[in-house]
Amino acid sequence: MKNTNLRRVTRHEDFTFYRRGKVWYYKCYNRDGKLLCGHSTGCKSRTAAQKYCEELRRNGLIYSQSNKPFRAYASHFFDDDGLYLRYAKASGHEYSRSYIRKLQSVTKRYLIPAFGDRPLNGITMNDVKSALFDLKEKRKLSNKTLNDILSIFRIIITDVMNNGLIFLSPINGIKSFARNPRPRNAFELADAVLILHSDFSSEKIRIYLLVAALTGMRASEILAIRKETLHKTYIEVKDQIQNKTLRPTKTKTTRIVPIIPELYAILHGMIGNDFVFEGIREGVPSNELRKLLKKLMPEKRLAQGYCLHSFRHFCNTQMLSENISPVKVAAVLGHSIGTVSQIQKAYTNFTETDFSEVYEFQKKYFHLLND
């Protein structure tokens, strides 16, 4: 026979009430979401029982989603099949494999060790500051790495807040660490000439660097040049090689990069099964250039921040010095929107026939750098 004195009532997020005789009891949930044994509130009205339980919750004596440990919330947050990345992909935000690995690595290496056992509603601003300073002083992390950690932590905390689990962010008001980035200046013309007249392990590496100097293409974009994207008067830059995989360009757009006949002939003659720079592994040109710079100009390399990307700066600088329109320079280099007037970007659609000044620039510098 059923006990009519036992009556279940509305289930709340963190606890469930029922009445036994004249006294109200509650059951709360463990960290796996399972109901625990009932406890008496000592209250004879439902309203008083609810207030009693809410006071227990405020004092951390009743488990709720808001006092779930950070570890439980964050451990699988950036999993490939997790909700965050699945939704990002569905909404058109295609993250690179390297960025996803960075999200996962930073969470596992730094955030979980720092906040793992703390409840979500128990992380304070001072906790965050202390954790960052510990990483800076004990792990000797750079300011850039600390800012990356803070940025990824912000993604998780924003999700926690959006789900209504906390109402105040522990990182509101925490500023990024000041960065003193090393310079990455453009190669001076004399230095670029010296580099491109030096010996490399293969002629392909030298041509790779020549393409970087004449087109301003990114390292990963040069590796992606292949039969279908190489045309007699231009390169169609629509993707890049990252982690041995073709991916969209950094700005997720396609652009035309003019090339003169002399450069086309060289690149066309290098086509293997499909790719122009077949057999060149990611990072190899950069490493070879670094070794050469250490040999040719060790002090200047450090002072100027010379690296492979300096050829992109070189191309940008030299085209501007030849009085080529900044809008055309930006179009060739594929600068993201915002670096050029958005109106100009929206209403300008260049084809290869619009780049006569760029062809003249390439012809002049091709002979300076290659002859």
Side-chain angles (χ1 to χ4, degrees):
M1 186 173 178
K2 291 184 179 180
N3 184 350
T4 56
N5 290 325
L6 181 64
R7 186 161 61 92
R8 291 287 294 273
V9 297
T10 307
R11 174 173 170 160
H12 293 259
E13 178 189 353
D14 303 327
F15 38 80
T16 298
F17 291 115
Y18 60 94
R19 193 174 64 189
R20 181 172 289 164
K22 294 183 178 180
V23 177
W24 285 85
Y25 284 69
Y26 73 92
K27 286 185 178 182
C28 57
Y29 302 89
N30 67 12
R31 294 175 189 272
D32 297 321
K34 295 179 180 178
L35 278 172
L36 300 175
C37 296
H39 298 276
S40 171
T41 66
C43 302
K44 294 186 178 180
S45 75
R46 182 183 177 284
T47 301
Q50 183 168 342
K51 288 181 179 179
Y52 175 85
C53 289
E54 287 172 350
E55 183 64 25
L56 291 178
R57 178 171 57 182
R58 277 194 294 272
N59 293 326
L61 300 176
I62 286 183
Y63 175 77
S64 72
Q65 286 295 313
S66 63
N67 60 35
K68 173 187 285 189
F70 178 81
R71 183 191 310 278
Y73 199 91
S75 291
H76 301 287
F77 189 84
F78 294 114
D79 282 2
D80 291 338
D81 58 352
L83 189 60
Y84 178 80
L85 289 179
R86 281 168 49 212
Y87 185 79
K89 185 175 182 179
S91 58
H93 297 284
E94 190 70 41
Y95 295 137
S96 68
R97 192 69 237 162
S98 60
Y99 179 65
I100 293 173
R101 281 205 301 267
K102 180 178 181 179
L103 294 172
Q104 295 168 344
S105 174
V106 165
T107 303
K108 182 178 179 181
R109 292 180 63 189
Y110 303 121
L111 295 178
I112 289 177
F115 306 110
D117 295 324
R118 290 184 177 275
L120 293 172
N121 62 2
I123 302 173
T124 67
M125 181 185 291
N126 284 339
D127 293 333
V128 178
K129 289 179 178 178
S130 295
L132 291 172
F133 277 122
D134 281 347
L135 290 171
K136 182 177 179 65
E137 294 167 4
K138 295 177 182 178
R139 302 286 290 275
K140 307 299 181 185
L141 299 184
S142 68
N143 286 1
K144 180 187 181 304
T145 301
L146 292 170
N147 288 337
D148 288 343
I149 293 170
L150 187 58
S151 175
I152 292 169
F153 185 53
R154 181 174 282 108
I155 293 174
I156 298 173
I157 290 299
T158 299
D159 191 78
V160 172
M161 291 186 68
N162 288 343
N163 281 299
L165 303 183
I166 60 173
F167 300 101
L168 293 175
S169 169
I171 53 178
N172 271 356
I174 295 183
K175 296 181 179 179
S176 299
F177 285 82
R179 290 182 58 186
N180 296 305
R182 291 180 300 172
R184 286 203 299 181
N185 293 329
F187 283 118
E188 294 177 11
L189 178 57
D191 294 336
V193 170
L194 178 61
I195 290 165
L196 289 167
H197 283 80
S198 299
D199 292 326
F200 292 90
S201 63
S202 73
E203 179 66 3
K204 267 190 177 184
I205 298 289
R206 194 186 72 81
I207 297 302
Y208 178 103
L209 299 178
L210 179 65
V211 172
L214 294 176
T215 67
M217 290 172 63
R218 298 178 177 91
S220 56
E221 294 172 344
I222 297 173
L223 283 180
I225 302 173
R226 56 196 185 278
K227 199 178 296 183
E228 71 172 87
T229 63
L230 179 64
H231 303 270
K232 289 186 176 181
T233 57
Y234 66 93
I235 298 170
E236 182 186 8
V237 182
K238 61 180 180 179
D239 38 33
Q240 59 181 330
I241 294 284
Q242 283 190 336
N243 299 312
K244 302 178 183 179
T245 305
L246 274 174
R247 301 184 182 279
T249 60
K250 182 179 179 180
T251 57
K252 306 294 189 296
T253 58
T254 298
R255 70 184 190 278
I256 286 174
V257 175
I259 53 171
I260 55 175
E262 294 90 333
L263 187 57
Y264 168 77
I266 292 173
L267 296 178
H268 186 266
M270 290 169 53
I271 295 175
N273 293 327
D274 190 14
F275 289 85
V276 170
F277 293 98
E278 205 164 279
I280 301 294
R281 298 194 311 275
E282 296 171 67
V284 170
S286 180
N287 290 336
E288 285 215 23
L289 177 62
R290 189 181 302 111
K291 291 176 184 176
L292 181 65
L293 291 171
K294 284 182 179 179
K295 179 182 176 181
L296 295 177
M297 51 191 85
E299 293 182 3
K300 196 170 187 179
R301 176 185 76 90
L302 295 174
Q304 297 296 322
Y306 280 169
C307 61
L308 179 55
H309 201 71
S310 295
F311 276 121
R312 183 167 164 83
H313 289 273
F314 170 84
C315 183
N316 184 87
T317 302
Q318 298 302 327
M319 281 201 285
L320 291 174
S321 72
E322 296 289 332
N323 296 317
I324 298 175
S325 160
V327 177
K328 288 189 178 182
V329 173
V332 171
L333 269 66
H335 285 151
S336 59
I337 199 161
T339 56
V340 182
S341 163
Q342 292 198 17
I343 294 177
Q344 288 176 316
K345 290 283 278 188
Y347 288 91
T348 305
N349 298 284
F350 292 118
T351 66
E352 69 271 21
T353 59
D354 298 311
F355 288 114
S356 57
E357 317 98 299
V358 179
Y359 289 115
E360 289 301 316
F361 153 78
Q362 273 196 11
K363 188 174 294 185
K364 174 181 175 180
Y365 284 84
F366 177 85
H367 294 295
L368 284 171
L369 299 171
N370 194 56
D371 289 350

